[in-house]
Short mmCIF file of all heavy atoms in Angstrom, two decimals:
data_model
loop_
_atom_site.label_atom_id
_atom_site.label_comp_id
_atom_site.label_asym_id
_atom_site.label_seq_id
_atom_site.Cartn_x
_atom_site.Cartn_y
_atom_site.Cartn_z
N MET D 1 -6.45 -6.90 21.18
CA MET D 1 -6.51 -6.38 19.80
C MET D 1 -7.29 -5.06 19.69
O MET D 1 -8.35 -4.91 20.32
CB MET D 1 -7.07 -7.46 18.87
CG MET D 1 -7.02 -7.08 17.41
SD MET D 1 -7.90 -8.28 16.39
CE MET D 1 -6.93 -9.71 16.36
N ALA D 2 -6.74 -4.12 18.95
CA ALA D 2 -7.44 -2.88 18.77
C ALA D 2 -7.47 -2.55 17.27
O ALA D 2 -6.63 -3.05 16.50
CB ALA D 2 -6.88 -1.79 19.60
N ILE D 3 -8.39 -1.75 16.86
CA ILE D 3 -8.42 -1.40 15.48
C ILE D 3 -8.59 0.06 15.34
O ILE D 3 -9.23 0.75 16.09
CB ILE D 3 -9.79 -2.02 14.82
CG1 ILE D 3 -9.75 -3.46 15.04
CG2 ILE D 3 -9.79 -1.67 13.29
CD1 ILE D 3 -11.06 -4.16 14.62
N GLU D 4 -7.77 0.55 14.33
CA GLU D 4 -7.84 2.14 14.04
C GLU D 4 -8.34 2.24 12.62
O GLU D 4 -8.06 1.44 11.70
CB GLU D 4 -6.37 2.64 14.14
CG GLU D 4 -5.89 2.76 15.54
CD GLU D 4 -4.49 3.34 15.56
OE1 GLU D 4 -3.87 3.68 14.45
OE2 GLU D 4 -4.03 3.46 16.64
N VAL D 5 -9.05 3.36 12.51
CA VAL D 5 -9.46 3.74 11.14
C VAL D 5 -8.80 5.05 10.80
O VAL D 5 -8.78 5.99 11.53
CB VAL D 5 -11.05 3.81 11.05
CG1 VAL D 5 -11.56 4.85 12.01
CG2 VAL D 5 -11.45 4.17 9.59
N ASP D 6 -8.37 5.23 9.55
CA ASP D 6 -7.82 6.42 8.98
C ASP D 6 -8.95 7.14 8.37
O ASP D 6 -9.44 6.74 7.34
CB ASP D 6 -6.76 6.17 7.97
CG ASP D 6 -6.01 7.46 7.54
OD1 ASP D 6 -6.85 8.53 7.52
OD2 ASP D 6 -4.95 7.43 7.11
N ARG D 7 -9.52 8.19 9.02
CA ARG D 7 -10.71 8.78 8.57
C ARG D 7 -10.48 9.64 7.27
O ARG D 7 -11.37 10.05 6.57
CB ARG D 7 -11.23 9.71 9.66
CG ARG D 7 -11.72 9.02 10.81
CD ARG D 7 -12.57 9.69 11.85
NE ARG D 7 -12.79 8.77 13.07
CZ ARG D 7 -13.72 7.86 13.01
NH1 ARG D 7 -14.50 7.76 12.06
NH2 ARG D 7 -13.80 7.06 14.01
N ASN D 8 -9.26 9.97 7.02
CA ASN D 8 -8.97 10.54 5.69
C ASN D 8 -9.15 9.57 4.57
O ASN D 8 -9.32 10.01 3.39
CB ASN D 8 -7.43 11.15 5.66
CG ASN D 8 -7.38 12.25 6.71
OD1 ASN D 8 -8.21 13.09 6.84
ND2 ASN D 8 -6.12 12.24 7.36
N LEU D 9 -9.12 8.28 4.81
CA LEU D 9 -9.14 7.27 3.79
C LEU D 9 -10.65 6.71 3.74
O LEU D 9 -11.15 6.39 2.65
CB LEU D 9 -8.20 6.18 3.97
CG LEU D 9 -6.68 6.53 3.87
CD1 LEU D 9 -5.81 5.34 4.16
CD2 LEU D 9 -6.37 6.99 2.36
N CYS D 10 -11.21 6.59 4.84
CA CYS D 10 -12.55 5.92 4.89
C CYS D 10 -13.60 6.71 4.11
O CYS D 10 -13.70 7.91 4.22
CB CYS D 10 -13.08 5.78 6.35
SG CYS D 10 -14.71 5.12 6.55
N GLU D 11 -14.36 5.92 3.25
CA GLU D 11 -15.37 6.59 2.34
C GLU D 11 -16.77 6.13 2.81
O GLU D 11 -17.62 6.29 2.04
CB GLU D 11 -15.11 6.32 0.90
CG GLU D 11 -15.15 4.82 0.56
CD GLU D 11 -14.85 4.44 -0.94
OE1 GLU D 11 -14.39 5.33 -1.59
OE2 GLU D 11 -15.01 3.36 -1.25
N ALA D 12 -16.77 5.47 4.02
CA ALA D 12 -18.07 5.13 4.53
C ALA D 12 -18.95 4.22 3.63
O ALA D 12 -20.12 4.41 3.56
CB ALA D 12 -18.96 6.30 4.99
N ASN D 13 -18.32 3.30 2.86
CA ASN D 13 -19.03 2.45 2.02
C ASN D 13 -19.71 1.21 2.79
O ASN D 13 -20.50 0.35 2.17
CB ASN D 13 -18.15 2.00 0.94
CG ASN D 13 -16.93 1.26 1.39
OD1 ASN D 13 -16.98 0.51 2.32
ND2 ASN D 13 -15.79 1.40 0.66
N GLY D 14 -19.32 1.03 4.00
CA GLY D 14 -19.99 0.07 4.80
C GLY D 14 -19.61 -1.39 4.64
O GLY D 14 -20.15 -2.35 5.17
N LEU D 15 -18.51 -1.70 3.93
CA LEU D 15 -18.10 -3.19 3.78
C LEU D 15 -17.61 -3.72 5.00
O LEU D 15 -17.89 -4.94 5.33
CB LEU D 15 -17.04 -3.14 2.68
CG LEU D 15 -17.49 -2.65 1.31
CD1 LEU D 15 -16.35 -2.76 0.30
CD2 LEU D 15 -18.58 -3.60 0.80
N CYS D 16 -16.92 -3.00 5.85
CA CYS D 16 -16.45 -3.54 7.11
C CYS D 16 -17.74 -3.81 8.05
O CYS D 16 -17.79 -4.79 8.81
CB CYS D 16 -15.48 -2.73 7.74
SG CYS D 16 -15.95 -0.97 8.11
N VAL D 17 -18.74 -2.91 7.95
CA VAL D 17 -19.91 -3.02 8.70
C VAL D 17 -20.60 -4.30 8.34
O VAL D 17 -21.11 -5.09 9.21
CB VAL D 17 -20.83 -1.79 8.52
CG1 VAL D 17 -22.07 -1.96 9.31
CG2 VAL D 17 -20.03 -0.53 8.87
N ALA D 18 -20.65 -4.61 7.05
CA ALA D 18 -21.35 -5.84 6.56
C ALA D 18 -20.62 -7.01 7.06
O ALA D 18 -21.17 -8.05 7.40
CB ALA D 18 -21.47 -5.75 5.09
N ALA D 19 -19.20 -6.87 7.05
CA ALA D 19 -18.48 -8.06 7.57
C ALA D 19 -18.55 -8.46 8.94
O ALA D 19 -18.78 -9.60 9.44
CB ALA D 19 -17.00 -7.92 7.17
N VAL D 20 -18.50 -7.33 9.79
CA VAL D 20 -18.62 -7.54 11.30
C VAL D 20 -19.39 -6.47 11.93
O VAL D 20 -18.86 -5.49 12.56
CB VAL D 20 -17.14 -7.64 11.94
CG1 VAL D 20 -17.24 -7.92 13.38
CG2 VAL D 20 -16.28 -8.65 11.21
N PRO D 21 -20.80 -6.59 11.85
CA PRO D 21 -21.56 -5.54 12.33
C PRO D 21 -21.50 -5.34 13.89
O PRO D 21 -21.88 -4.29 14.43
CB PRO D 21 -22.98 -5.86 11.99
CG PRO D 21 -22.86 -7.35 11.72
CD PRO D 21 -21.54 -7.58 11.29
N GLU D 22 -21.02 -6.43 14.62
CA GLU D 22 -20.69 -6.31 16.09
C GLU D 22 -19.66 -5.17 16.43
O GLU D 22 -19.83 -4.52 17.47
CB GLU D 22 -20.28 -7.54 16.71
CG GLU D 22 -21.21 -8.71 16.48
CD GLU D 22 -20.84 -9.64 15.25
OE1 GLU D 22 -20.42 -9.03 14.25
OE2 GLU D 22 -20.93 -10.75 15.36
N VAL D 23 -18.80 -4.92 15.52
CA VAL D 23 -17.71 -4.05 15.81
C VAL D 23 -17.82 -2.68 15.06
O VAL D 23 -17.48 -1.70 15.59
CB VAL D 23 -16.37 -4.76 15.45
CG1 VAL D 23 -15.15 -3.78 15.54
CG2 VAL D 23 -16.08 -5.92 16.46
N PHE D 24 -18.17 -2.83 13.78
CA PHE D 24 -18.19 -1.59 12.91
C PHE D 24 -19.61 -1.12 12.77
O PHE D 24 -20.53 -1.88 12.52
CB PHE D 24 -17.60 -1.90 11.60
CG PHE D 24 -16.13 -2.44 11.72
CD1 PHE D 24 -15.82 -3.75 11.57
CD2 PHE D 24 -15.09 -1.62 11.90
CE1 PHE D 24 -14.54 -4.21 11.67
CE2 PHE D 24 -13.81 -2.01 11.99
CZ PHE D 24 -13.59 -3.34 11.92
N GLU D 25 -19.82 0.20 12.78
CA GLU D 25 -21.14 0.79 12.61
C GLU D 25 -20.93 2.14 11.88
O GLU D 25 -19.87 2.88 12.21
CB GLU D 25 -21.77 1.01 14.05
CG GLU D 25 -23.09 1.49 13.95
CD GLU D 25 -23.75 1.70 15.24
OE1 GLU D 25 -23.08 1.38 16.29
OE2 GLU D 25 -24.91 2.13 15.39
N LEU D 26 -21.86 2.48 11.06
CA LEU D 26 -21.80 3.89 10.55
C LEU D 26 -22.85 4.72 11.23
O LEU D 26 -23.98 4.22 11.49
CB LEU D 26 -22.11 3.78 9.06
CG LEU D 26 -21.00 3.36 8.15
CD1 LEU D 26 -21.41 3.13 6.73
CD2 LEU D 26 -19.77 4.21 8.19
N ASP D 27 -22.51 5.85 11.81
CA ASP D 27 -23.45 6.55 12.59
C ASP D 27 -24.32 7.49 11.52
O ASP D 27 -24.11 7.42 10.39
CB ASP D 27 -22.84 7.44 13.74
CG ASP D 27 -21.90 8.65 13.09
OD1 ASP D 27 -22.04 8.91 11.92
OD2 ASP D 27 -21.14 9.16 13.97
N SER D 28 -25.14 8.32 12.23
CA SER D 28 -26.04 9.05 11.28
C SER D 28 -25.37 10.09 10.45
O SER D 28 -25.94 10.55 9.47
CB SER D 28 -27.11 9.72 12.14
OG SER D 28 -26.55 10.51 13.23
N ASP D 29 -24.13 10.41 10.79
CA ASP D 29 -23.32 11.34 9.97
C ASP D 29 -22.33 10.51 9.02
O ASP D 29 -21.53 11.16 8.37
CB ASP D 29 -22.45 12.21 10.86
CG ASP D 29 -23.27 13.15 11.65
OD1 ASP D 29 -24.37 13.69 11.21
OD2 ASP D 29 -22.91 13.46 12.76
N GLU D 30 -22.54 9.21 8.93
CA GLU D 30 -21.80 8.35 8.00
C GLU D 30 -20.34 8.36 8.48
O GLU D 30 -19.40 8.20 7.67
CB GLU D 30 -21.91 8.80 6.54
CG GLU D 30 -23.33 8.74 6.04
CD GLU D 30 -23.54 7.74 4.90
OE1 GLU D 30 -22.82 7.88 3.79
OE2 GLU D 30 -24.29 6.81 5.13
N GLU D 31 -20.14 8.53 9.78
CA GLU D 31 -18.83 8.36 10.37
C GLU D 31 -18.68 6.85 10.89
O GLU D 31 -19.60 6.42 11.48
CB GLU D 31 -18.70 9.32 11.62
CG GLU D 31 -18.48 10.77 11.27
CD GLU D 31 -16.94 10.96 10.93
OE1 GLU D 31 -16.18 10.59 11.80
OE2 GLU D 31 -16.69 11.59 9.88
N LEU D 32 -17.60 6.32 10.62
CA LEU D 32 -17.40 4.96 11.17
C LEU D 32 -17.13 4.90 12.70
O LEU D 32 -16.24 5.69 13.14
CB LEU D 32 -16.18 4.29 10.37
CG LEU D 32 -15.99 2.85 10.71
CD1 LEU D 32 -17.18 1.94 10.21
CD2 LEU D 32 -14.72 2.23 10.23
N VAL D 33 -17.85 4.10 13.38
CA VAL D 33 -17.72 3.93 14.72
C VAL D 33 -17.13 2.59 14.96
O VAL D 33 -17.70 1.51 14.34
CB VAL D 33 -19.06 4.07 15.51
CG1 VAL D 33 -18.86 3.78 17.06
CG2 VAL D 33 -19.74 5.39 15.21
N ILE D 34 -16.08 2.40 15.74
CA ILE D 34 -15.53 1.10 16.07
C ILE D 34 -15.81 0.82 17.54
O ILE D 34 -15.53 1.48 18.37
CB ILE D 34 -13.99 1.05 15.82
CG1 ILE D 34 -13.69 1.39 14.30
CG2 ILE D 34 -13.37 -0.28 16.22
CD1 ILE D 34 -12.25 1.42 14.02
N HIS D 35 -16.54 -0.26 17.78
CA HIS D 35 -16.89 -0.67 19.13
C HIS D 35 -15.84 -1.52 19.66
O HIS D 35 -15.76 -2.71 19.53
CB HIS D 35 -18.18 -1.44 19.13
CG HIS D 35 -19.44 -0.55 18.61
ND1 HIS D 35 -19.96 0.46 19.35
CD2 HIS D 35 -20.06 -0.56 17.48
CE1 HIS D 35 -20.93 0.98 18.70
NE2 HIS D 35 -21.04 0.31 17.47
N GLU D 36 -14.86 -0.85 20.26
CA GLU D 36 -13.61 -1.54 20.79
C GLU D 36 -13.96 -2.69 21.74
O GLU D 36 -13.28 -3.74 21.75
CB GLU D 36 -12.74 -0.60 21.43
CG GLU D 36 -11.99 0.40 20.39
CD GLU D 36 -10.91 -0.26 19.59
OE1 GLU D 36 -10.57 -1.44 19.72
OE2 GLU D 36 -10.55 0.40 18.53
N ALA D 37 -14.99 -2.38 22.60
CA ALA D 37 -15.28 -3.41 23.56
C ALA D 37 -15.75 -4.72 22.91
O ALA D 37 -15.70 -5.82 23.59
CB ALA D 37 -16.34 -2.99 24.48
N ALA D 38 -16.20 -4.70 21.68
CA ALA D 38 -16.74 -5.86 21.01
C ALA D 38 -15.60 -6.66 20.31
O ALA D 38 -15.90 -7.76 19.80
CB ALA D 38 -17.88 -5.53 20.12
N VAL D 39 -14.48 -5.96 20.18
CA VAL D 39 -13.47 -6.52 19.22
C VAL D 39 -13.02 -7.98 19.75
O VAL D 39 -12.93 -8.98 18.97
CB VAL D 39 -12.19 -5.63 19.17
CG1 VAL D 39 -11.08 -6.41 18.52
CG2 VAL D 39 -12.52 -4.40 18.40
N ASP D 40 -12.84 -8.07 21.04
CA ASP D 40 -12.47 -9.44 21.54
C ASP D 40 -13.64 -10.46 21.62
O ASP D 40 -13.28 -11.54 21.96
CB ASP D 40 -11.80 -9.23 22.92
CG ASP D 40 -10.42 -8.55 22.77
OD1 ASP D 40 -9.82 -8.69 21.72
OD2 ASP D 40 -10.02 -7.84 23.77
N THR D 41 -14.77 -10.00 21.41
CA THR D 41 -15.89 -11.06 21.32
C THR D 41 -16.00 -11.68 20.08
O THR D 41 -16.86 -12.69 19.92
CB THR D 41 -17.19 -10.32 21.67
OG1 THR D 41 -17.69 -9.42 20.69
CG2 THR D 41 -17.21 -9.46 22.94
N VAL D 42 -15.43 -11.25 19.01
CA VAL D 42 -15.58 -11.90 17.72
C VAL D 42 -14.13 -12.52 17.37
O VAL D 42 -13.12 -12.14 17.92
CB VAL D 42 -16.09 -10.93 16.62
CG1 VAL D 42 -17.37 -10.36 16.90
CG2 VAL D 42 -14.93 -9.93 16.30
N SER D 43 -14.12 -13.46 16.41
CA SER D 43 -12.89 -14.07 16.19
C SER D 43 -11.89 -13.20 15.42
O SER D 43 -12.25 -12.34 14.69
CB SER D 43 -13.08 -15.37 15.25
OG SER D 43 -13.52 -15.02 13.99
N ALA D 44 -10.60 -13.44 15.68
CA ALA D 44 -9.54 -12.68 14.94
C ALA D 44 -9.71 -12.88 13.44
O ALA D 44 -9.37 -11.86 12.72
CB ALA D 44 -8.17 -13.16 15.47
N GLU D 45 -10.12 -13.96 13.03
CA GLU D 45 -10.32 -14.36 11.55
C GLU D 45 -11.36 -13.33 11.00
O GLU D 45 -11.04 -12.82 9.97
CB GLU D 45 -10.72 -15.79 11.43
CG GLU D 45 -10.65 -16.25 10.05
CD GLU D 45 -9.16 -16.09 9.34
OE1 GLU D 45 -8.23 -16.23 10.05
OE2 GLU D 45 -9.23 -15.68 8.19
N ARG D 46 -12.53 -13.21 11.72
CA ARG D 46 -13.47 -12.23 11.16
C ARG D 46 -12.96 -10.82 11.14
O ARG D 46 -13.33 -9.98 10.27
CB ARG D 46 -14.80 -12.33 11.97
CG ARG D 46 -15.47 -13.56 11.77
CD ARG D 46 -16.85 -13.63 12.45
NE ARG D 46 -17.76 -12.68 11.98
CZ ARG D 46 -18.73 -11.98 12.77
NH1 ARG D 46 -18.81 -12.35 13.97
NH2 ARG D 46 -19.44 -11.13 12.11
N ILE D 47 -12.17 -10.48 12.15
CA ILE D 47 -11.65 -9.07 12.07
C ILE D 47 -10.66 -8.89 10.84
O ILE D 47 -10.79 -7.85 10.19
CB ILE D 47 -10.84 -8.86 13.37
CG1 ILE D 47 -11.74 -8.86 14.70
CG2 ILE D 47 -10.08 -7.53 13.40
CD1 ILE D 47 -12.74 -7.78 14.75
N LYS D 48 -9.87 -10.00 10.62
CA LYS D 48 -9.01 -9.85 9.51
C LYS D 48 -9.86 -9.78 8.17
O LYS D 48 -9.38 -9.03 7.35
CB LYS D 48 -8.23 -11.18 9.36
CG LYS D 48 -6.91 -11.08 10.17
CD LYS D 48 -6.04 -12.26 9.79
CE LYS D 48 -5.32 -12.92 10.99
NZ LYS D 48 -4.83 -14.30 10.86
N VAL D 49 -10.92 -10.50 8.09
CA VAL D 49 -11.71 -10.50 6.90
C VAL D 49 -12.24 -9.01 6.69
O VAL D 49 -12.29 -8.37 5.59
CB VAL D 49 -12.84 -11.41 6.93
CG1 VAL D 49 -13.85 -11.20 5.85
CG2 VAL D 49 -12.26 -12.84 6.82
N ALA D 50 -12.74 -8.44 7.93
CA ALA D 50 -13.18 -7.03 7.79
C ALA D 50 -12.12 -6.00 7.34
O ALA D 50 -12.47 -5.18 6.51
CB ALA D 50 -13.88 -6.69 9.11
N VAL D 51 -11.04 -6.15 7.96
CA VAL D 51 -9.99 -5.19 7.64
C VAL D 51 -9.55 -5.41 6.10
O VAL D 51 -9.41 -4.44 5.37
CB VAL D 51 -8.66 -5.56 8.56
CG1 VAL D 51 -7.49 -4.76 8.03
CG2 VAL D 51 -8.96 -5.11 9.98
N ALA D 52 -9.53 -6.69 5.59
CA ALA D 52 -9.19 -6.89 4.24
C ALA D 52 -10.18 -6.48 3.30
O ALA D 52 -9.91 -6.29 2.15
CB ALA D 52 -8.85 -8.43 4.05
N SER D 53 -11.48 -6.31 3.78
CA SER D 53 -12.59 -5.99 2.94
C SER D 53 -12.54 -4.48 2.55
O SER D 53 -13.26 -4.03 1.59
CB SER D 53 -13.87 -6.29 3.50
OG SER D 53 -14.28 -5.36 4.58
N CYS D 54 -11.76 -3.70 3.25
CA CYS D 54 -11.77 -2.26 3.05
C CYS D 54 -10.99 -1.99 1.79
O CYS D 54 -9.73 -2.14 1.70
CB CYS D 54 -11.15 -1.48 4.21
SG CYS D 54 -11.19 0.24 3.91
N PRO D 55 -11.66 -1.44 0.80
CA PRO D 55 -10.95 -1.07 -0.55
C PRO D 55 -10.03 0.09 -0.42
O PRO D 55 -9.29 0.34 -1.29
CB PRO D 55 -12.18 -0.88 -1.50
CG PRO D 55 -13.23 -0.44 -0.61
CD PRO D 55 -13.03 -1.14 0.72
N ARG D 56 -10.25 0.83 0.73
CA ARG D 56 -9.52 2.03 0.89
C ARG D 56 -8.26 1.89 1.75
O ARG D 56 -7.58 2.79 2.11
CB ARG D 56 -10.37 3.18 1.42
CG ARG D 56 -11.59 3.38 0.62
CD ARG D 56 -11.29 4.31 -0.49
NE ARG D 56 -10.82 5.66 0.09
CZ ARG D 56 -10.13 6.52 -0.71
NH1 ARG D 56 -9.75 6.31 -1.91
NH2 ARG D 56 -9.78 7.62 -0.12
N TYR D 57 -8.16 0.59 2.28
CA TYR D 57 -7.05 0.36 3.22
C TYR D 57 -6.92 1.28 4.37
O TYR D 57 -5.92 1.73 4.90
CB TYR D 57 -5.56 0.35 2.57
CG TYR D 57 -5.56 -0.64 1.26
CD1 TYR D 57 -5.66 -0.10 -0.01
CD2 TYR D 57 -5.43 -1.95 1.51
CE1 TYR D 57 -5.61 -0.92 -1.04
CE2 TYR D 57 -5.42 -2.86 0.39
CZ TYR D 57 -5.47 -2.36 -0.89
OH TYR D 57 -5.44 -3.19 -1.97
N ALA D 58 -8.25 1.53 4.85
CA ALA D 58 -8.39 2.55 6.00
C ALA D 58 -8.27 1.90 7.30
O ALA D 58 -8.17 2.66 8.38
CB ALA D 58 -9.75 3.29 5.82
N LEU D 59 -8.27 0.58 7.44
CA LEU D 59 -8.34 -0.08 8.71
C LEU D 59 -6.98 -0.71 9.02
O LEU D 59 -6.30 -1.24 8.13
CB LEU D 59 -9.46 -1.23 8.79
CG LEU D 59 -10.87 -0.63 8.55
CD1 LEU D 59 -11.83 -1.85 8.48
CD2 LEU D 59 -11.35 0.15 9.77
N ARG D 60 -6.59 -0.58 10.31
CA ARG D 60 -5.37 -1.15 10.75
C ARG D 60 -5.59 -1.82 12.12
O ARG D 60 -6.17 -1.28 12.99
CB ARG D 60 -4.34 -0.03 10.89
CG ARG D 60 -2.92 -0.37 10.99
CD ARG D 60 -2.02 0.81 10.63
NE ARG D 60 -2.14 1.72 11.68
CZ ARG D 60 -1.28 1.79 12.70
NH1 ARG D 60 -0.30 1.02 12.77
NH2 ARG D 60 -1.42 2.73 13.63
N VAL D 61 -5.00 -3.03 12.24
CA VAL D 61 -5.07 -3.73 13.58
C VAL D 61 -3.86 -3.30 14.26
O VAL D 61 -2.63 -3.40 13.82
CB VAL D 61 -5.15 -5.22 13.35
CG1 VAL D 61 -5.09 -5.94 14.66
CG2 VAL D 61 -6.37 -5.65 12.64
N THR D 62 -4.06 -2.91 15.54
CA THR D 62 -2.97 -2.55 16.43
C THR D 62 -3.04 -3.31 17.74
O THR D 62 -4.07 -3.91 18.04
CB THR D 62 -2.92 -0.99 16.77
OG1 THR D 62 -4.27 -0.81 17.63
CG2 THR D 62 -3.04 -0.16 15.56
N GLY D 63 -1.84 -3.53 18.38
CA GLY D 63 -1.87 -4.19 19.60
C GLY D 63 -2.05 -5.64 19.60
O GLY D 63 -2.44 -6.16 18.64
S1 SF4 O 101 -14.72 -0.74 4.63
FE1 SF4 O 101 -13.17 0.88 4.67
S2 SF4 O 101 -14.01 2.58 3.66
FE2 SF4 O 101 -15.64 1.21 4.06
S3 SF4 O 101 -16.67 1.95 5.85
FE3 SF4 O 101 -15.13 0.41 6.41
S4 SF4 O 101 -13.22 1.51 6.83
FE4 SF4 O 101 -14.64 2.94 5.71
#
């Protein structure tokens, strides 16, 4: 499983970070970082919750 973020839509509000901090992080420039290596270490259900938490529909699960 892989996750993509549409940076034109992301407003860095941190909701996905709050949902799954192992995978999502905001860097010091408020850019979303996705830790791809951690994606498979958390449940698919939690990833789904994080993706659904985005009010900007900026996250997409691929693969
Ligand atoms: S929840 Fe959506 S808008 Fe908020 S930081 Fe995550 S990807 Fe960006």
Side-chain angles (χ1 to χ4, degrees):
M1 187 188 285
I3 305 169
E4 285 178 2
V5 60
D6 184 331
R7 297 193 184 279
N8 294 320
L9 294 176
C10 177
E11 62 183 10
N13 57 36
L15 294 176
C16 59
V17 179
V20 186
E22 301 96 318
V23 171
F24 301 100
E25 183 181 1
L26 287 171
D27 71 12
S28 54
D29 294 326
E30 300 245 300
E31 284 274 311
L32 187 69
V33 177
I34 298 177
H35 299 290
E36 289 289 349
V39 171
D40 289 332
T41 69
V42 302
S43 71
E45 193 55 41
R46 286 185 66 209
I47 297 293
K48 270 191 222 165
V49 168
V51 169
S53 77
C54 180
R56 302 280 297 161
Y57 303 104
L59 297 173
R60 199 162 66 94
V61 174
T62 62

